[in-house]
């Protein structure tokens, strides 16, 4: 690390949509950077051309934007350490590979994929596992095992060549993980990883280390699936004579059952999204749902992810962006897997929806309706917000009650069966007359008129209200009928009551 500034990066490969685990990695990096007054960098790791998926990079950028996890530097954001897309940095890596070869830390290997596969098959037949390492490398065709003149010849020919890292034979690699504590790994278990592929592209390990160094990354915060690579990375830093960054490996996000890693299939099965945004797979044509399209607010999604692998040490669950930044620390990231709970995700959304003012919800309602070709005044939309906020977890549920926008097409069976009595038509006629007599048709006046009608006729709430609702909305439950009647207006309310009566008694 050349400076003392905190510089962290999110380094996705554009091989598909970002999984919510990836978004959480980005979030924790972002929070850590902001907590330390540092920089959050977005680097696109696209050296593996075979896994490139069109549209994936744009998806990543859009998803981060939607979540409000905006990088300070990186692809789409610029900065002094660019370019930030590895495919644009290709000429940089070769010199470091060369440095490793010259210092004896790496070597040329000429083995073909078939030769390597044959070794593996042979080992499997003997119920053992083969890997390219200190114990086997001298049996292979490489610049350590072959005479120098043959190596020269092979290098001059057009035979494919890779470069492998020479893992020390028998050593213990020790490093400190900010979340897991001291990690010790015996080099005996590590293999001589390829650093430069036969197409002369660097592998993930090589490009990742060079870029983290050149971009002066202070902390590598990434998913647990990269923990097995960390010892190799530590050795690579050492071999290049560079100070390694600090490492922090985040716990896996587990299935709702707690058994195994959360996958796309779990989402399909459980009916919840695992991606931030909807993803149209360019190859299969399959569409996977996204949190955004499913009606989640980005704040709720982020808050849910914050709590999926981190805890504040007290009971607080709801955090604003500023609060998250202030409270976040790697020490409080949990070590064991974090079980995803779709109900909790919904709970967060409900919370954020209800925390919004009716004016704010009103304008959301107005634009959702406009999109559906329904023109409704701002005032009416605020009325809907007031009626529906407490009964909704998602924005689209605010406008899910069809009766707000049109007469009922059918009448709730059970209410009809249980509540509609012989005397009901007459009681409803009486109610129509009372409502008709109310001049200012607001919820309070309607309620007063309604209650007066019950009292003077010695009627119980249960005999009148459900049937009133049935005629006006067709439903067996819902928000206050007085608010609904005000929203619909006198003319519409009475029309629906008369039509309903006619239809039910027909
Ligand atoms: N490109 C790797 C990925 O796709 C980055 C891993 C790391 O952060 O080192 O996750």
């Amino acid at each position: 690390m050349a400076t003392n500034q905190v510089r962290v990066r999110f380094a996705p490969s554009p091989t598909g949509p970002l999984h919510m685990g990836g978004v959480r990695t980005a979030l924790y990096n972002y929070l850590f950077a902001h907590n330390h007054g540092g920089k959050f960098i977005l680097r696109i790791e696209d050296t593996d051309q075979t896994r490139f998926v069109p549209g994936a990079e744009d998806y990543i950028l859009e998803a981060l934007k939607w979540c409000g996890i905006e990088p300070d530097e990186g692809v789409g954001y610029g900065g002094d350490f660019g370019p930030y897309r590895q495919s644009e940095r290709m000429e940089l890596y070769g010199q470091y590979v060369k440095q490793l070869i010259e210092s004896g830390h790496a070597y040329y290997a000429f083995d073909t994929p078939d030769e390597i596969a044959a070794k593996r098959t042979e080992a499997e037949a003997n119920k053992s596992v083969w890997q390219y390492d200190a114990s086997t490398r001298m049996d292979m065709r490489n610049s350590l095992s072959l005479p120098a003149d043959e190596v020269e010849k092979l290098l001059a020919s057009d035979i494919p060549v890779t470069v492998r890292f020479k893992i020390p034979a028998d050593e213990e690699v020790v490093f400190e993980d900010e979340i897991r504590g001291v990690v010790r790994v015996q080099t005996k278990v590590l293999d001589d990883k390829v650093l430069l592929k036969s197409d002369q592209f660097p592998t993930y390990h090589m490009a990742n280390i060079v870029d983290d160094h050149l971009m002066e990354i202070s902390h590598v915060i990434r998913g647990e699936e990269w923990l097995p690579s960390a010892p190799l990375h530590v050795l690579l830093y050492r071999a290049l004579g560079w100070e390694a960054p600090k490492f922090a490996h985040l716990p896996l996000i587990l299935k709702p059952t707690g058994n195994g890693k959360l996958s796309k299939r779990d989402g399909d099965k459980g009916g919840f999204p695992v991606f931030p945004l909807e993803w149209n797979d360019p190859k299969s044509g399959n569409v996977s749902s996204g949190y955004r399209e499913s009606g989640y607010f980005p704040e709720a999604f982020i808050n849910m992810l914050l709590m999926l692998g981190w805890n504040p040490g007290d009971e607080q669950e709801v955090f604003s962006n500023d609060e998250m930044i202030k409270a976040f620390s790697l020490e409080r990231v949990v070590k064991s897997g974090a079980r995803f709970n779709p109900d909790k995700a919904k709970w967060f959304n409900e919370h954020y929806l209800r925390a919004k003012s009716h004016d704010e919800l009103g304008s959301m309602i107005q634009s959702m309706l406009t999109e559906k070709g329904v023109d409704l005044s701002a005032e009416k939309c605020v009325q809907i917000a007031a009626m529906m906020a407490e009964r909704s977890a998602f924005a689209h549920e605010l406008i899910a009650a069809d009766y707000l926008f049109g007469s009922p097409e059918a009448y709730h069976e059970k209410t009809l069966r249980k509540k509609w009595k012989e005397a009901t038509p007459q009681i409803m006629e009486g109610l129509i007359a009372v409502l008709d007599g109310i001049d200012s048709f607001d919820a309070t006046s309607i309620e007063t008129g309604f209650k007066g009608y019950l009292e003077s006729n010695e009627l119980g709430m249960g005999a009148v209200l459900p049937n009133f609702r049935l005629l006006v909305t067709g439903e067996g439950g819902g928000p206050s009928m007085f608010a609904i009647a005000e929203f619909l207006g006198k003319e519409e309310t009475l029309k629906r009551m008369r039509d309903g009566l006619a239809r039910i008694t027909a």
Side-chain angles (χ1 to χ4, degrees):
M1 212 197 329
T3 66
N4 288 324
Q5 203 197 17
V6 163
R7 291 176 55 81
V8 294
R9 84 305 193 268
F10 177 51
S13 299
T15 53
L18 210 50
H19 184 276
M20 59 194 253
V23 181
R24 189 196 58 176
T25 300
L27 174 68
Y28 286 13
N29 272 284
Y30 164 91
L31 294 175
F32 185 78
H34 283 264
N35 179 279
H36 286 87
K39 294 270 187 281
F40 169 55
I41 294 135
L42 172 66
R43 182 170 75 225
I44 297 289
E45 301 207 326
D46 57 350
T47 55
D48 191 349
Q49 302 291 320
T50 59
R51 295 178 65 220
F52 176 79
V53 173
E57 183 186 301
D58 288 343
Y59 179 99
I60 293 166
L61 280 151
E62 198 184 333
L64 293 181
K65 224 178 226 140
W66 179 68
C67 293
I69 310 175
E70 299 247 15
D72 301 299
E73 287 173 30
V75 171
Y77 293 84
D80 296 338
F81 296 77
Y84 293 92
R85 202 181 274 114
Q86 287 187 328
S87 57
E88 291 165 19
R89 302 171 65 79
M90 286 305 189
E91 69 280 7
L92 271 166
Y93 305 114
Q95 58 183 297
Y96 300 106
V97 176
K98 211 162 139 227
Q99 184 188 327
L100 288 170
I101 294 170
E102 281 165 3
S103 61
H105 291 100
Y107 58 90
Y108 295 109
F110 307 101
D111 321 272
T112 64
D114 284 349
E115 284 164 354
I116 289 176
K119 287 281 179 199
R120 292 218 166 93
T121 321
E122 198 184 306
E124 263 164 43
N126 297 323
K127 301 239 173 312
S128 72
V129 181
W130 184 89
Q131 67 174 15
Y132 211 123
D133 62 16
S135 70
T136 59
R137 67 169 82 103
M138 294 312 279
D139 306 330
M140 303 302 288
R141 294 197 305 133
N142 55 53
S143 56
L144 300 175
S145 64
L146 299 173
D149 56 341
E150 198 175 336
V151 171
E152 288 298 312
K153 254 203 294 193
L154 285 168
L155 285 176
S157 74
D158 51 12
I159 283 178
V161 54
T162 61
V163 175
R164 285 183 181 267
F165 188 59
K166 190 178 162 197
I167 294 277
D170 194 5
E171 226 190 80
E172 186 174 59
V173 186
V174 183
F175 66 93
E176 174 100 19
D177 184 279
E178 301 289 299
I179 295 165
R180 277 143 221 278
V182 177
V183 178
R184 295 171 188 276
V185 177
Q186 304 300 323
T187 53
K188 273 201 292 262
V189 305
L190 304 177
D191 66 329
D192 289 357
K193 281 270 181 296
V194 172
L195 301 178
L196 200 67
K197 293 179 280 186
S198 57
D199 60 9
Q200 299 306 294
F201 284 141
T203 55
Y204 151 73
H205 302 291
M206 189 66 208
N208 186 272
I209 261 53
V210 168
D211 285 347
D212 279 349
H213 174 71
L214 295 180
M215 293 181 185
E216 296 180 8
I217 298 304
S218 62
H219 296 72
V220 167
I221 305 170
R222 62 185 171 193
E224 186 181 299
E225 63 273 29
W226 299 102
L227 186 58
S229 300
L232 166 69
H233 295 178
V234 170
L235 291 171
L236 271 169
Y237 280 106
R238 194 175 77 187
L240 286 159
W242 297 338
E243 191 187 333
K246 292 197 158 64
F247 291 100
H249 290 91
L250 307 175
L252 292 177
I253 296 183
L254 304 177
K255 298 176 193 298
T257 57
N259 291 328
K261 197 174 157 181
L262 180 73
S263 73
K264 179 175 130 38
R265 281 197 36 218
D266 299 315
D268 295 341
K269 265 198 295 189
F272 55 82
V274 297
F275 300 123
L277 317 178
E278 189 172 274
W279 169 252
N280 297 291
D281 192 274
K283 268 192 226 134
S284 65
N286 290 345
V287 179
S288 303
S289 65
Y291 277 87
R292 182 177 66 183
E293 291 74 11
S294 302
Y296 281 85
F297 298 114
E299 313 91 276
F301 176 54
I302 286 308
N303 200 152
M304 181 273 288
L305 287 178
L306 171 73
M307 302 306 283
L308 205 55
W310 176 84
N311 75 77
D314 60 24
E315 297 299 302
Q316 189 175 350
E317 285 190 291
V318 175
F319 287 82
S320 69
N321 192 268
D322 285 349
E323 286 170 334
M324 282 183 206
I325 290 172
K326 237 172 112 197
F328 186 79
S329 72
L330 290 175
E331 290 84 66
R332 291 204 165 278
V333 172
V334 301
K335 288 191 190 63
S336 54
R339 187 195 294 214
F340 172 64
N341 176 352
D343 293 332
K344 195 72 194 182
K346 200 171 152 185
W347 179 87
F348 273 110
N349 212 60
E350 203 170 84
H351 174 88
Y352 277 91
L353 185 138
R354 292 179 195 169
K356 291 188 194 295
S357 70
H358 291 164
D359 282 345
E360 199 180 339
L361 292 176
S363 56
M364 280 168 46
I365 290 170
Q366 198 170 33
S367 51
M368 284 188 289
L369 289 175
T370 308
E371 226 167 87
K372 291 180 141 204
V374 178
D375 194 20
L376 204 64
S377 72
E379 192 196 341
K380 286 272 175 213
C381 291
V382 172
Q383 279 182 32
I384 297 182
M387 285 189 280
M388 301 302 291
E390 285 304 314
R391 337 179 65 82
S392 306
F394 298 98
H396 56 84
E397 289 175 355
L398 294 166
I399 56 163
D402 290 338
Y403 55 79
L404 295 177
F405 314 103
S407 312
E409 274 165 22
Y411 297 94
H412 189 243
E413 288 271 348
K414 198 171 159 199
T415 311
L416 208 51
R417 218 170 43 237
K418 299 225 145 147
K419 298 287 176 183
W420 194 270
K421 302 273 154 69
E422 225 183 292
T424 305
Q426 202 193 343
I427 296 171
M428 290 298 120
E429 293 287 2
L431 182 57
I432 290 174
V434 168
L435 296 178
D436 203 8
I438 298 173
D439 287 334
S440 113
F441 207 70
D442 57 76
T444 317
S445 315
I446 299 167
E447 185 171 358
T448 311
F450 182 89
K451 288 191 169 152
Y453 175 63
L454 295 194
E455 230 167 83
S456 49
N457 293 282
E458 290 182 11
L459 290 165
M461 199 57 123
V464 190
L465 191 65
N467 292 316
F468 176 32
R469 182 182 301 283
L470 192 69
L471 292 181
V472 177
T473 71
E475 299 286 342
S480 152
M481 266 317 292
F482 311 120
I484 294 176
E486 174 183 335
F487 171 80
L488 294 174
K490 183 150 110 182
E491 200 183 319
E492 175 71 10
T493 303
L494 296 182
K495 179 181 173 300
R496 288 191 188 187
M497 291 181 78
R498 291 188 181 114
D499 289 353
L501 261 176
R503 282 173 67 187
I504 292 169
T505 55

